[in-house]
Amino acid sequence: MPGLNDIIGQDQIKEYFQRAIRQHNISHAYILTGEPGMGRKTMANAFAMTLLCESGEERPCSTCHSCRQFLTGNHPDVIRVHHEKPNSIGVDDVRDQIVNDVQIKPYSSQYKIYIVDEAEKMTVQAQNALLKTIEEPPSYAIILLVTANAEGFLPTILSRCITLKLKPLYDKAIQEYLEKNLQIDKTQAGICTSFARGNLGKAIRLASSEEFMTMRQEVTDLLKQVYRMSVLDMLETLKHIKDSGIDIRTCIDFMKLWYRDVLMFKATCDMNLLIFSDEFKSINEIANKSSFAGIEKILEGMDKAKVRLDANVNFDLTMELMLLTIKEN
Ligand SMILES: [Zn+2]
């Protein structure tokens, strides 16, 4: 479990929490919002662990009694609110686990920390029940609402919580993390980084997804053979990928990444700028055979295919049109 300092990026939120801890100026309710995979829960846990650590340092020591309890998931003053129904956190969940529980003093710490994951699932009644606790909390109570969508909260909840929004990371930070911490090769890390759009969790998931790897291999083989394969054979490959459960839009995005490399290489002749640097020979071949306008047309054709799929145009027809655009340009 990382401390605040070990979290990649999110400097503003980390500094905010560290300052709050240093100045003993902790609020009673926080909302941590951002896309799933951005590290909201990691942030909530790092803050809670740091706050409870007996060392009182900015970085949790990992060795004190409190840290050890926290790391084994047995800290009596950390309450992870759970819910029976998968899609809603009801008023009873909030009453039993927060409103009533908060009356009991902390067991061993200065604080009692409630972590509500998927907090947007709280019903209106549940939020109203929680409101009373947030309005008049005991001095030791801290409520962390973790959510992908803070807009679902009542204005009364929003106005009483400090909302902290996690931001997308820079590609460079994600690429480095994948290469250094997970020992993923440069090309693979580059592809996963492009797909993750600043979301480290998503990048890590992709990097370890076998389906994604298989898709990468099959589509790369197809793109390398683009001048030698017939449209029908290529269509068969795409159908096969679709049948294996991969979202064909992901597959198209992957193809776009390839052609962006072709465009980049044609413009710069610098193979160091390529994501697919290990497929340099194929990228070079396509860059030589296609014009700038042609590559633009191919990229547009891929966007068009996605629009057609969204509009439920027949799959085979949509793919054929896209493949023809690729071959003709
Ligand atoms: Zn500690």
Side-chain angles (χ1 to χ4, degrees):
M1 183 83 57
L4 288 163
N5 280 322
D6 306 310
I7 291 175
I8 317 275
Q10 313 301 348
D11 291 348
Q12 273 178 317
I13 301 182
K14 285 189 297 199
E15 280 162 23
Y16 176 86
F17 275 144
Q18 280 164 338
R19 196 167 52 240
I21 293 169
R22 216 165 34 235
Q23 299 174 348
H24 304 286
N25 182 20
I26 315 290
S27 288
H28 288 291
Y30 296 95
I31 294 172
L32 280 164
T33 176
E35 257 179 61
M38 300 255 279
R40 302 159 303 158
K41 275 181 275 179
T42 309
M43 186 68 82
N45 279 315
F47 176 55
M49 187 173 164
T50 309
L51 204 52
L52 295 169
C53 174
E54 290 158 18
S55 77
E57 298 291 326
E58 274 182 37
R59 176 190 282 261
C61 70
S62 296
T63 51
C64 71
H65 188 56
S66 171
C67 282
R68 275 183 285 131
Q69 282 183 318
F70 191 94
L71 289 170
T72 51
N74 292 315
H75 202 297
D77 296 321
V78 178
I79 295 94
R80 296 175 192 277
V81 175
H82 54 270
H83 47 104
E84 296 296 322
K85 290 187 194 157
N87 290 318
S88 80
I89 303 176
V91 64
D92 289 338
D93 295 320
V94 167
R95 273 205 197 112
D96 294 348
Q97 297 172 63
I98 307 178
V99 180
N100 296 336
D101 186 85
V102 83
Q103 305 305 328
I104 306 162
K105 291 213 166 95
Y107 184 76
S108 59
S109 328
Q110 198 184 341
Y111 299 103
K112 208 166 170 180
I113 303 176
Y114 296 84
I115 301 178
V116 187
D117 191 18
E118 302 183 307
E120 72 279 0
K121 290 185 177 170
M122 282 191 291
T123 62
V124 170
Q125 290 91 330
Q127 292 185 48
N128 276 318
L130 180 65
L131 197 56
K132 291 194 195 82
T133 303
I134 295 182
E135 279 173 336
E136 292 170 22
S139 60
Y140 48 77
I142 296 169
I143 294 163
L144 300 175
L145 303 176
V146 177
T147 184
N149 175 23
E151 282 155 31
F153 293 133
L154 296 173
T156 41
I157 292 272
L158 284 170
S159 68
R160 282 169 180 83
C161 295
I162 292 180
T163 299
L164 302 167
K165 191 174 190 329
L166 281 85
K167 298 206 175 88
L169 301 186
Y170 288 114
D171 282 355
K172 193 167 170 280
I174 294 186
Q175 171 108 20
E176 262 181 30
Y177 184 88
L178 295 180
E179 284 184 42
K180 288 187 186 151
N181 296 51
L182 304 182
Q183 278 80 48
I184 291 170
D185 72 73
K186 185 168 171 272
T187 301
Q188 179 67 358
I191 294 166
C192 296
T193 299
S194 306
F195 269 83
R197 292 178 196 281
N199 185 324
L200 181 61
K202 189 173 176 192
I204 295 170
R205 205 169 59 245
L206 287 175
S208 55
S209 157
E210 243 171 73
E211 286 91 0
F212 191 74
M213 289 309 101
T214 310
M215 186 273 292
R216 172 193 162 182
Q217 198 52 55
E218 289 183 35
V219 181
T220 307
D221 289 346
L222 179 148
L223 292 166
K224 282 159 73 173
Q225 299 295 324
V226 80
Y227 297 115
R228 291 169 282 274
M229 271 173 94
S230 70
V231 168
L232 263 175
D233 286 343
M234 289 198 279
L235 183 61
E236 280 310 309
T237 306
L238 292 181
K239 274 188 191 168
H240 173 75
I241 292 171
K242 179 176 170 252
D243 291 343
S244 73
I246 287 276
D247 183 352
I248 205 71
R249 288 171 191 80
T250 306
C251 179
I252 297 175
D253 285 338
F254 184 87
M255 295 168 107
K256 281 179 70 179
L257 215 53
W258 174 273
Y259 276 95
R260 247 181 261 140
D261 255 10
V262 174
L263 195 60
M264 176 70 87
F265 187 72
K266 197 169 177 64
T268 65
C269 286
D270 184 351
M271 68 172 287
N272 293 312
L273 299 173
L274 305 183
I275 289 174
F276 296 93
S277 48
D278 55 354
E279 300 290 356
F280 161 72
K281 261 177 76 181
S282 304
I283 297 276
N284 182 36
E285 183 197 358
I286 302 171
N288 281 332
K289 286 192 181 173
S290 307
S291 64
F292 281 109
I295 302 167
E296 290 289 357
K297 269 191 197 145
I298 291 172
L299 288 166
E300 279 168 24
M302 291 174 178
D303 285 331
K304 259 187 216 159
K306 283 168 76 182
V307 171
R308 288 191 177 114
L309 288 171
D310 287 341
N312 284 321
V313 177
N314 174 280
F315 176 83
D316 289 13
L317 177 65
T318 302
M319 290 300 116
E320 264 187 65
L321 288 170
M322 181 184 81
L323 293 168
L324 277 171
T325 310
I326 295 176
K327 273 189 97 73
E328 283 169 2
N329 289 283

